[in-house]
Amino acid sequence: MADRKCCGVSAVKLTLSILLFLVTAACVALIVVLVTRTTDTEPEPQSKTYLIGVGRADCTGSAAEIPMMGYANSQQKAAGIHTRLFSRAFIVDDGNQRVLFVTADIGMISQRLRLEVLKALQEKYGDLYRRENVVMSGTHTHCGPGGYFQYTLFMITGNGYVKESTEPLVNGIVKSIDIAHRNMRPGRIYVNKGELVDSSLNRSPHSYMNNPEDERKRYEKNTDKQVVVLKFTDLDGDGIGMISWFAVHAVSMNFTNRMVSSDNMGYASYLLEQDKNFGELPGQGSFVAGFSSSNLGDVSPNTRGPHCMNTGLLCDYLNSSCPVGGTKMCKAFGPGEDMFESTRIIGHNIFMKAKELYANAVHEVTGSVQFAHQWVNMTDVTVQLNDTHTGRTCKPALGHSFAAGTTDGGGDLNFTQGAVEGDPFWDGIRDALLGPPSNQTKDCHHPKPILFSTGEMNWPLPWHPSIVDVQIITIGSVAVLAIPGEMTTMAGRRLRAAVKKELEAAEKFKNAEVVIAGLSNVYTHYITTFEEYQIQRYEGASTIFGPHTFAAYLQKFTNLARAIAQDKVSELPVGPEPPFFTNLFNLMAAAAYDAKPENTSFGDVLDQVNSIYRQGDVVSVTFVAGNPRHSGDIRDKTFVTVEMYDNLTDSWGVVHNDASWETRFHWLKGSNRRSNATVEWHIPSSAPSGLYRIRHFGHYKQLQGLQTIITPYEGSSDIFRVVSSFYHQ
């Protein structure tokens, strides 16, 4: 019995042990399955945050007598300030590498400007900011000072290399970078995009229509309506800055304007920064809003289109000329009653779309920061056109239609757009003065009839650059292409698609967002497609490296994208270094000594304000003035303040300065070395009722004995009252 009981107990124990083992094994297996499933379905840990820095600085140069850069109109010389010019810098660092993007309120980045900025950065930061990881882009305002180039063609139109223009630009850009560098902190980046309609028009639709029909059918519009926004926040989600890219020329202010102005793109920056930095004066406050140019080559903000000013009829479709008056009479008009109103409307539209996209940006940018850069001799690039044929780029040359200008600003002579044959009269003058183009250059540029063979003109310096920058920076899946010129709509679309395809071939670039940053690093005029080039409107005539210019850039940028995607950037050849000329010429005469009417002093009021105004009125006051050039570097200073009296503190406070949209500072050079300054204040509807005054600041130069003396002065208007109604005060 005892043995049987013992055996029964042992059997039970054995059975229980086996069951316990099986249950334990099952539990372990279940836990393994659950853990595996959990691991498989959990999102990947979020990438570490970026270090982000944003900065803004005044880069306004001389506001008097300096030729403006953009329209190449010899009569358009600065004579006051509409809005000031700013440089805006954005730094992104992933902990391993960093990139720097600058957008500045100027016509374009010249090679000389870039080289001088890089030199200044090298002296301050060593190799931290250098040609490979720094992109500099211009907003393309045509109302900023010129004089910051080192090639003869641009120096002729800008009165040479002018230090009083160049130094404020270099110093302002570097200061914006310094501020961004000092303010770097952990943060996040978001990307968003949308469309903006009714703010742009293709000014060369005939050229666009020469692109393949199947390609055109992929797009609803003949201009890019896309707006891309990068939103920068700190780790708490508070906004610190934004960059927006949109394709439109900053030519709402036309060639009759004489005031320094940031135009429509600058006004968009102004509005968003005023919105985010509430209560601050323009250029102040921590939030930085950069609006950058894109593939704007054939895109105008003058949305009412080109009409003959003498008849009101539409201009000729093919060559944009009028039966009487030619191209000079054919002019495109913006949506407003005048250029100021058009600038306001277009700038406000751009601002509103960017603000909307910024507010709704939720797609976070993650991933590493990368960059690739090469210098390229664009006069000697072999292009693989297909499996059997190649093409080549050419030495720089401008065609006859270049002299015709565009519907945003026509030329003065009897040239028309669309010219595919030369003119014996003008060609004869060219040959006598500059020499004829070589047969090789003429053949290379066909069907362009060459007006200026600039690549064969080297006195006193080369007329055009040959060595250009090609560059891509990437922040996560966002790729910024630094384009050294003005790329047309279809050229930009082709390039974006090709680079996107190249990047997305690599696993790390899923859903890449590719943006064009136009007028970057060096200026080489226009970049059209091969098909658009055949039409030889202004853009094709200004594509200086010949019909295969775009194909060469497409080849170079896709090579850069492939190198980034495959982590082979280090294998890219650096390329030939561009020149830094030392024998630059300056055609600007020194500003004359200042004189004033008898029994007056500088700063005295010549035309006084009224005693009372309403919101919406324009206050105007004129002062005895000196030449603004005598004020030297005017960055972070002002010629104008509008001040309001504070009853509580018994003091005056500045509510506007000459960077404000609401003010206009006109300088008028008179006879006998006398000049006046007229200040306008366009009273906004939001201006509080109260007491105001307008003040003007400046400097005058006089000769005392044998010594030149520059003396500051200031003047003030009478006190006036602003009221909401003349009937209820």
Side-chain angles (χ1 to χ4, degrees):
M1 291 285 294
D3 289 340
R4 288 171 63 185
K5 183 178 180 181
C6 178
C7 289
V9 170
S10 297
V12 169
K13 286 183 177 179
L14 179 61
T15 301
L16 289 174
S17 297
I18 292 171
L19 287 172
L20 181 62
F21 174 80
L22 291 173
V23 169
T24 302
C27 289
V28 170
L30 182 61
I31 290 170
V32 169
V33 170
L34 290 173
V35 168
T36 304
R37 282 183 178 175
T38 302
T39 304
D40 287 344
T41 57
E42 277 185 350
E44 293 182 5
Q46 195 172 46
S47 300
K48 59 183 178 181
T49 56
Y50 298 107
L51 278 176
I52 302 170
V54 301
R56 175 191 54 248
D58 190 342
C59 63
T60 311
S62 179
E65 299 184 322
I66 306 293
M68 292 180 169
M69 184 63 206
Y71 290 112
N73 186 324
S74 61
Q75 301 303 310
Q76 193 193 23
K77 296 180 179 178
I81 294 178
H82 175 223
T83 54
R84 280 185 171 256
L85 310 180
F86 290 94
S87 170
R88 295 171 173 89
F90 302 84
I91 302 171
V92 179
D93 190 311
D94 66 359
N96 183 39
Q97 296 194 120
R98 71 175 52 185
V99 290
L100 164 61
F101 183 83
V102 175
T103 177
D105 292 328
I106 56 176
M108 62 284 290
I109 302 299
S110 75
Q111 187 176 83
R112 181 65 179 217
L113 181 60
R114 174 170 168 83
L115 292 175
E116 292 201 20
V117 169
L118 289 175
K119 182 180 178 182
L121 293 176
Q122 169 72 30
E123 292 173 356
K124 278 194 171 191
Y125 299 104
D127 292 331
L128 190 58
Y129 303 110
R130 55 198 187 279
R131 61 172 178 82
E132 298 99 328
N133 67 345
V134 174
V135 173
M136 297 170 57
S137 177
T139 61
H140 206 34
T141 174
H142 285 41
C143 296
Y148 56 95
F149 291 79
Q150 66 170 7
Y151 292 97
T152 300
L153 181 73
F154 308 121
M155 294 175 75
I156 290 173
T157 58
N159 273 9
Y161 175 79
V162 184
K163 282 191 175 182
E164 59 188 292
S165 280
T166 308
E167 289 181 353
L169 285 176
V170 173
N171 294 336
I173 290 170
V174 171
K175 183 176 180 180
S176 71
I177 297 168
D178 290 340
I179 294 170
H181 180 85
R182 291 198 304 266
N183 291 340
M184 290 185 72
R185 49 182 159 159
R188 302 190 188 282
I189 304 173
Y190 302 85
V191 64
N192 200 6
K193 63 181 179 180
E195 287 200 344
L196 173 60
V197 297
D198 301 327
S199 297
S200 59
L201 181 83
N202 194 307
R203 70 186 188 189
S204 285
H206 182 45
S207 294
Y208 180 88
M209 288 296 292
N210 207 44
N211 290 305
E213 182 180 5
D214 62 335
E215 182 179 40
R216 288 185 280 110
K217 283 183 175 179
R218 296 178 211 157
Y219 307 98
E220 291 184 12
K221 306 290 184 181
N222 62 2
T223 63
D224 272 341
K225 307 299 183 183
Q226 178 177 275
V227 180
V228 178
V229 162
L230 282 187
K231 173 181 181 178
F232 302 96
T233 74
D234 61 19
L235 294 183
D236 294 327
D238 294 328
I240 59 176
M242 182 217 72
I243 310 175
S244 173
W245 288 272
F246 177 58
V248 70
H249 259 79
V251 291
S252 292
M253 299 293 290
N254 64 43
F255 61 85
T256 66
N257 172 55
R258 298 292 183 270
M259 291 181 290
V260 171
S261 175
S262 59
D263 212 286
N264 48 43
M265 298 292 273
Y267 184 52
S269 288
Y270 172 87
L271 288 173
L272 191 54
E273 288 180 347
Q274 290 293 98
D275 183 71
K276 297 296 184 181
N277 301 316
F278 185 76
E280 299 279 4
L281 289 171
Q284 299 179 11
S286 60
F287 189 93
V288 178
F291 285 76
S292 180
S293 59
S294 189
N295 52 319
L296 50 65
D298 51 0
V299 188
S300 170
N302 295 315
T303 52
R304 281 194 283 163
H307 291 75
C308 295
M309 291 187 289
N310 47 4
T311 65
L313 299 176
L314 291 173
C315 302
D316 180 85
Y317 175 77
L318 298 180
N319 57 34
S320 299
S321 65
C322 299
V324 178
T327 57
K328 193 65 178 175
M329 278 290 121
C330 177
K331 188 177 185 312
F333 293 89
E337 292 300 314
D338 59 24
M339 60 182 169
F340 298 98
E341 181 68 5
S342 292
T343 303
R344 187 194 65 77
I345 292 171
I346 298 297
H348 186 266
N349 290 349
I350 298 170
F351 151 70
M352 288 297 291
K353 176 53 67 172
K355 182 180 179 182
E356 171 198 328
L357 294 172
Y358 176 92
N360 296 311
V362 294
H363 180 72
E364 186 168 2
V365 177
T366 58
S368 64
V369 166
Q370 295 178 271
F371 46 83
H373 172 279
Q374 282 183 301
W375 283 311
V376 176
N377 180 358
M378 276 297 292
T379 70
D380 187 26
V381 178
T382 300
V383 179
Q384 194 69 43
L385 301 176
N386 52 43
D387 292 340
T388 58
H389 290 77
T390 61
R392 295 189 67 81
T393 54
C394 316
K395 290 183 178 181
L398 292 163
H400 276 243
S401 294
F402 163 76
T406 72
T407 55
D408 294 326
D412 291 320
L413 304 173
N414 62 335
F415 291 90
T416 57
Q417 296 196 65
V420 290
E421 293 183 1
D423 182 290
F425 175 76
W426 292 113
D427 288 348
I429 294 176
R430 175 205 62 203
D431 293 350
L433 295 177
L434 304 171
S438 68
N439 289 332
Q440 180 183 5
T441 296
K442 286 192 290 185
D443 291 342
C444 188
H445 280 269
H446 181 79
K448 176 195 293 179
I450 294 175
L451 182 63
F452 298 122
S453 183
T454 53
E456 298 174 318
M457 297 159 60
N458 295 295
W459 187 89
L461 292 164
W463 280 52
H464 264 145
S466 296
I467 311 301
V468 306
D469 300 72
V470 291
Q471 183 179 23
I472 299 177
I473 61 172
T474 63
I475 303 169
S477 60
V478 178
V480 180
L481 316 186
I483 307 300
E486 304 179 51
M487 190 165 274
T488 60
T489 299
M490 193 61 85
R493 286 169 171 169
R494 287 186 194 174
L495 182 60
R496 283 201 307 263
V499 169
K500 181 179 175 70
K501 180 180 179 181
E502 202 67 57
L503 290 174
E504 290 180 348
E507 185 67 21
K508 61 183 176 181
F509 281 102
K510 293 181 178 178
N511 301 315
E513 187 63 55
V514 181
V515 295
I516 301 286
L519 300 126
S520 295
N521 298 340
V522 53
Y523 185 60
T524 61
H525 295 269
Y526 284 74
I527 304 163
T528 66
T529 67
F530 178 84
E531 295 84 356
E532 291 164 347
Y533 185 91
Q534 306 307 307
I535 303 301
Q536 279 298 297
R537 283 179 62 84
Y538 176 81
E539 294 81 12
S542 304
T543 297
I544 63 173
F545 297 114
H548 300 302
T549 298
F550 171 71
Y553 280 124
L554 183 69
Q555 187 169 284
K556 293 297 180 181
F557 275 98
T558 51
N559 287 344
L560 295 185
R562 188 179 307 117
I564 290 175
Q566 297 178 1
D567 294 321
K568 294 182 178 179
V569 173
S570 61
E571 298 177 15
L572 291 171
V574 173
E577 189 170 348
F580 188 90
F581 298 123
T582 56
N583 54 333
L584 304 179
F585 60 87
N586 179 9
L587 303 177
M588 282 293 301
Y593 294 104
D594 293 305
K596 57 183 179 58
E598 292 185 11
N599 302 318
T600 66
S601 298
F602 290 97
D604 282 358
V605 174
L606 295 175
D607 292 313
Q608 193 55 266
V609 297
N610 297 331
S611 60
I612 191 168
Y613 295 89
R614 290 176 297 187
Q615 288 98 339
D617 288 344
V618 178
V619 184
S620 179
V621 55
T622 300
F623 300 89
V624 177
N627 189 325
R629 289 176 65 189
H630 295 149
S631 293
D633 188 344
I634 60 172
R635 292 177 306 119
D636 302 317
K637 301 174 185 176
T638 186
F639 289 108
V640 173
T641 58
V642 178
E643 301 175 0
M644 184 180 182
Y645 182 70
D646 188 333
N647 288 307
L648 295 178
T649 61
D650 189 28
S651 62
W652 293 91
V654 176
V655 293
H656 299 292
N657 57 24
D658 63 10
S660 300
W661 174 262
E662 295 82 1
T663 63
R664 297 177 192 173
F665 168 57
H666 301 270
W667 177 69
L668 178 63
K669 183 178 182 179
S671 59
N672 300 321
R673 296 184 284 109
R674 297 177 182 178
S675 57
N676 298 338
T678 297
V679 178
E680 294 178 4
W681 177 35
H682 293 246
I683 306 174
S685 58
S686 59
S689 298
L691 298 178
Y692 292 83
R693 69 182 183 188
I694 294 176
R695 301 178 73 199
H696 164 53
F697 307 87
H699 294 76
Y700 63 90
K701 182 171 78 171
Q702 290 186 323
L703 188 64
Q704 295 183 5
L706 297 177
Q707 189 173 9
T708 297
I709 304 294
I710 295 179
T711 307
Y713 70 87
E714 60 183 72
S716 178
S717 73
D718 287 345
I719 296 170
F720 57 92
R721 183 178 294 276
V722 172
V723 297
S724 57
S725 170
F726 287 160
Y727 303 103
H728 299 89
Q729 298 182 27

